């Protein structure tokens, strides 16, 4: 599987940027137009005729800037729909003018500080979503938000987390958080609501209606983000309760929305979210296939990180296990790509059958029990980092088989709905950390993704963060996001009978119809 390069390359100069350097002509008796009006008129042409307004904080600071400046000024703007707000003005300088891109993940929040003048990535970091202390998933957090003060507490946690980590990033670059005038954040629908402090109650209840789908541009301080007083945040819109701004950011960064050929984008996170289409149309859906594929079901499961088993190989004759961990250290647990590798290798070695059931005769010497359920010893306690054996139980296998079946069925249902075969796809793009580590051969072996040429598969990395970055660097991006959203047709899987029928057939390895996976050699 090829890995796509980030669209934002260090040092790349971006066209149509939000940062402009202009000079205000000195006033005279012949031209004594107010400073603000003259500044706005100077900005209109380089900003492509956008209507310019000025934030009140900038208006208050402008007299001092005019007195200390030498004429040329760096102006930072942010906006949409032909209108932009002047959010920052300073005497021209050679240093970076930072903007902050945010991937608002349920489990991890990723931040990227970029120079909005040059497009250079200054610094990136991530942190555990502090809302996780209240609830591990969005369902638990939505229920907590129903309590008195619960929503405010959840919003405060995420606002403070982003502000503190943003300040740390800025300091690492010799900057202040008060130098950050523009923020772009992309997350799923529930996380977007919790950032805004908008009631998420109806997201999980019929008729599954979000409080807001297009929050647009907001003042950072209005939602608890502590950057420049005049700073604005663009919050990516949602399509519905289960299709959020992180996917719109992914579509933006993948460029699938402007290509002639049909391609697919898959993001495996809390849910498996899928988009298929091209420049003329986009079809999307989401389904619950994520947890096991993230390594989140098995007791030894973990997110991709140091000590996580990411690759597994089993000698089909000796059945000897060989592992590769992230960081090359002793195993701590196993991440989603490792789980898929493990299942594929167990199948090829004849240690599990077509139903995903452990074969006792082939697992001799490795079988034990976990909570009275048969389990396979993957790593002995002597070889693990924590002195405890890492086990993979039959219950874990059953969960994985259900998850892989759901994933394949989602893909099959959405392509069938638009009258396509998998072979019609020019590209199969996999987003997120999951996509960066997954071995498509293993995923094909267990019947999780279609049996296509490996050149079809592309790992795009963090497309949510990349899309947020594009909004900071390209004025056109906000309008493109709006066009993408309007182009999407969303398919509800919960009431799709075809999905339910296909799901049962996919609960075998690789499938009840092995002809769908001609490259997989079925053990005899």
């Amino acid at each position: 599987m090829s890995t796509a390069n980030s669209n934002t390359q260090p040092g790349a100069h971006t066209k149509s940027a939000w940062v402009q350097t202009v000079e205000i002509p000195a006033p005279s008796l012949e031209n004594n137009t107010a400073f603000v009006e003259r500044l706005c008129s100077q900005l209109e042409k380089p900003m492509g005729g956008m209507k310019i307004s000025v934030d009140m904080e900038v208006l208050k600071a402008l007299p001092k800037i005019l007195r200390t400046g030498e004429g040329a000024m760096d102006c930072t703007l942010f906006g949409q729909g032909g209108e932009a707000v002047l959010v920052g003005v300073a005497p021209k300088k050679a240093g970076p003018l930072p903007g902050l891109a945010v991937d608002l993940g349920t489990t991890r929040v990723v931040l990227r500080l970029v120079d909005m003048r040059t497009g250079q990535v200054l610094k990136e970091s991530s942190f555990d979503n502090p809302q996780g202390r209240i609830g591990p998933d969005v369902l638990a957090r939505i229920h907590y938000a129903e309590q008195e003060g619960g929503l405010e507490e959840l919003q405060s946690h995420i606002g403070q987390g982003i502000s503190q980590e943003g300040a740390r990033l800025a300091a690492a670059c010799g900057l202040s958080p008060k130098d950050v005038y523009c923020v772009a954040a992309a997350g799923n629908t529930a996380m977007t609501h919790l950032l805004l402090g908008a009631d998420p109650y109806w997201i999980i209840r019929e008729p599954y209606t979000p409080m807001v789908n297009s929050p647009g541009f907001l003042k950072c301080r209005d939602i608890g983000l502590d950057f420049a007083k005049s700073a604005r945040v663009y919050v990516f819109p949602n399509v519905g309760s289960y299709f959020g701004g992180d996917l719109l950011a992914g579509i933006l960064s993948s460029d699938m929305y402007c290509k002639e050929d049909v391609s697919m984008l898959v993001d495996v996170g809390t849910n498996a979210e899928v988009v298929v289409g091209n420049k003329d149309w986009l079809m999307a859906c989401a389904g619950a296939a994520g947890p096991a594929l993230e390594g989140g079901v098995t007791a030894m499961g973990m997110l991709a990180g140091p000590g996580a088993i990411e690759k597994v190989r089993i000698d089909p004759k000796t059945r000897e296990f060989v592992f590769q961990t992230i960081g090359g250290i002793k195993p701590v647990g196993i991440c989603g790509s490792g789980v898929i590798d493990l299942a594929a290798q167990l199948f090829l070695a004849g240690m599990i059958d077509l139903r995903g059931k452990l074969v006792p005769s082939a697992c001799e010497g490795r079988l034990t029990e976990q909570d009275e359920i048969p389990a396979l010893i993957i790593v002995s306690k002597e070889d693990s980092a924590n002195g405890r054996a890492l086990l993979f139980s039959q219950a874990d296998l059953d969960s994985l088989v259900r998850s892989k079946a759901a994933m394949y069925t989602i893909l099959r249902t959405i392509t069938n709905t638009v009258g396509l075969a998998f072979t019609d796809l020019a590209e199969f793009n996999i987003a997120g950390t999951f996509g960066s580590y997954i071995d498509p051969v293993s995923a094909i072996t267990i019947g999780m993704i279609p049996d296509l040429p490996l050149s079809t598969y592309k790992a795009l990395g963090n497309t949510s963060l990349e899309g947020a970055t594009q909004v900071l660097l390209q004025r056109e991006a906000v309008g493109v996001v709006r066009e993408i959203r309007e182009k999407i047709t969303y398919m509800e899987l919960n009431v799709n009978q075809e999905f339910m029928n296909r799901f049962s057939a996919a609960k075998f390895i690789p499938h009840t119809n092995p002809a769908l996976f001609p490259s997989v050699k079925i053990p005899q």
Side-chain angles (χ1 to χ4, degrees), residues 463-497:
T463 56
S464 177
L465 186 67
E466 189 63 44
T469 303
Q470 287 191 32
V471 164
L472 294 173
L473 301 180
Q474 301 169 14
R475 292 201 305 269
E476 298 86 353
V478 176
V480 172
V481 171
R482 185 173 60 251
E483 292 172 6
I484 290 171
R485 184 178 181 276
E486 292 173 352
K487 191 184 295 184
I488 290 174
T489 300
Y490 184 75
M491 179 174 63
E492 182 57 67
L493 290 177
N494 291 338
V495 294
N496 190 294
Q497 188 58 48

Side-chain angles (χ1 to χ4, degrees), residues 301-347:
M302 62 183 288
L303 295 173
I309 296 171
E310 60 174 335
K311 291 189 182 300
V312 181
R313 290 296 176 264
I314 302 175
D315 187 307
K317 294 182 179 179
T318 66
R319 295 184 174 124
E320 179 184 357
F321 285 48
V322 178
F323 304 105
Q324 177 179 313
T325 64
I326 298 174
I329 61 178
K330 278 191 171 185
V332 177
I334 190 165
C335 63
S337 62
V339 169
I340 292 166
D341 248 19
L342 175 60
Q345 291 293 304
L346 290 173
F347 177 68

Side-chain angles (χ1 to χ4, degrees), residues 100-104 109-112 162 183-187 464-465 468-469 472:
L100 186 69
V102 181
D103 168 30
L104 191 62
V109 180
V110 187
L111 271 59
R112 174 187 286 171
I162 293 172
V183 179
S464 177
L465 186 67
T469 303
L472 294 173

Side-chain angles (χ1 to χ4, degrees), residues 66-116:
L66 290 170
R67 286 195 297 270
T68 57
E70 298 179 356
M73 294 189 296
D74 288 329
C75 298
T76 304
L77 302 100
F78 215 22
Q80 64 180 337
E83 298 185 5
V85 180
L86 182 61
V87 292
V89 176
K92 183 181 178 182
K93 63 176 183 177
L97 293 171
L100 186 69
V102 181
D103 168 30
L104 191 62
T106 304
T107 305
R108 295 285 289 175
V109 180
V110 187
L111 271 59
R112 174 187 286 171
L113 199 68
V114 297
D115 184 349
M116 292 180 63

Side-chain angles (χ1 to χ4, degrees), residues 34 42 59 65 70 75 85 169 227 250 291 366 388-389 454 468 497:
Q42 289 293 104
L59 183 64
I65 295 169
E70 298 179 356
C75 298
V85 180
L169 274 184
F227 297 106
R366 285 185 175 270
R388 294 192 299 270
L454 297 185
Q497 188 58 48

Side-chain angles (χ1 to χ4, degrees), residues 239 242-244 247-248 251 256 263-269 271-277 281-289 406-415 418 422 425 427-431 448-450 488-491 493 499:
V239 174
Y242 298 104
F243 195 97
L247 263 293
L248 289 177
I251 296 169
M256 65 182 295
S263 58
M264 179 176 281
L265 174 67
V266 177
D267 191 353
V268 180
N271 290 313
E273 295 153 315
V274 181
V275 186
V276 63
W281 58 273
L282 293 166
M283 173 72 80
C285 66
M407 170 65 86
Y408 183 78
T409 308
I410 290 169
L411 303 178
R412 190 82 186 274
T413 301
I414 194 170
T415 50
V418 294
F422 286 132
L425 299 175
E427 290 181 347
F428 191 109
N429 300 305
I430 306 178
M448 186 186 102
I449 58 177
I488 290 174
T489 300
Y490 184 75
M491 179 174 63
L493 290 177
F499 175 85

Side-chain angles (χ1 to χ4, degrees), residues 111-366:
L111 271 59
R112 174 187 286 171
L113 199 68
V114 297
D115 184 349
M116 292 180 63
R117 193 205 309 269
T118 66
Q120 182 179 16
V121 176
L122 302 174
K123 204 80 174 175
E124 285 188 19
S125 69
S126 63
F127 62 96
D128 289 336
N129 190 322
Q131 295 174 342
R133 297 192 294 267
I134 292 173
D137 52 46
V138 294
L139 186 62
R141 296 175 203 177
I142 290 173
H143 287 310
Y144 188 85
E146 297 171 29
Q147 302 179 22
E148 183 69 29
L151 179 57
E152 291 77 11
E153 183 181 351
L154 286 162
Q155 184 189 25
S156 176
H157 279 315
I158 191 61
Q160 289 179 12
I162 293 172
S163 299
Q164 291 169 4
E165 189 64 17
R168 195 188 68 78
L169 274 184
C173 299
L175 299 164
S176 163
K178 302 306 178 187
D179 294 324
V180 177
Y181 293 103
C182 303
V183 179
N188 64 47
T189 305
M191 282 307 308
T192 296
H193 277 58
L194 296 178
L195 174 67
L196 299 175
D199 189 354
Y201 181 88
W202 289 108
I203 289 176
I204 59 171
R205 294 172 172 87
E206 290 187 5
Y208 310 109
T209 305
M211 184 61 62
V212 57
N213 269 332
S214 299
F217 284 85
L218 306 166
K219 291 184 178 180
C220 284
R221 59 184 177 180
D222 286 349
I223 60 171
L225 299 181
D226 188 16
F227 297 106
K229 288 184 178 179
S230 56
R232 296 296 197 276
V233 55
Y234 173 71
V235 181
F236 273 74
N238 312 304
V239 174
S241 288
Y242 298 104
F243 195 97
D246 49 351
L247 263 293
L248 289 177
I251 296 169
L252 174 68
S253 66
S254 73
D255 290 336
M256 65 182 295
Y257 69 91
C258 60
K259 293 179 178 178
E260 290 281 352
D261 292 332
V262 176
S263 58
M264 179 176 281
L265 174 67
V266 177
D267 191 353
V268 180
T270 304
N271 290 313
E273 295 153 315
V274 181
V275 186
V276 63
N278 62 4
K279 67 181 184 63
D280 297 317
W281 58 273
L282 293 166
M283 173 72 80
C285 66
L293 303 181
E294 286 188 298
V297 172
T298 172
M300 65 171 176
M302 62 183 288
L303 295 173
I309 296 171
E310 60 174 335
K311 291 189 182 300
V312 181
R313 290 296 176 264
I314 302 175
D315 187 307
K317 294 182 179 179
T318 66
R319 295 184 174 124
E320 179 184 357
F321 285 48
V322 178
F323 304 105
Q324 177 179 313
T325 64
I326 298 174
I329 61 178
K330 278 191 171 185
V332 177
I334 190 165
C335 63
S337 62
V339 169
I340 292 166
D341 248 19
L342 175 60
Q345 291 293 304
L346 290 173
F347 177 68
L348 295 175
M351 298 175 75
I352 60 175
D353 62 20
L354 295 169
R355 302 168 301 152
K357 302 300 182 182
L358 291 165
V359 179
S361 60
C363 299
E364 190 174 353
R366 285 185 175 270

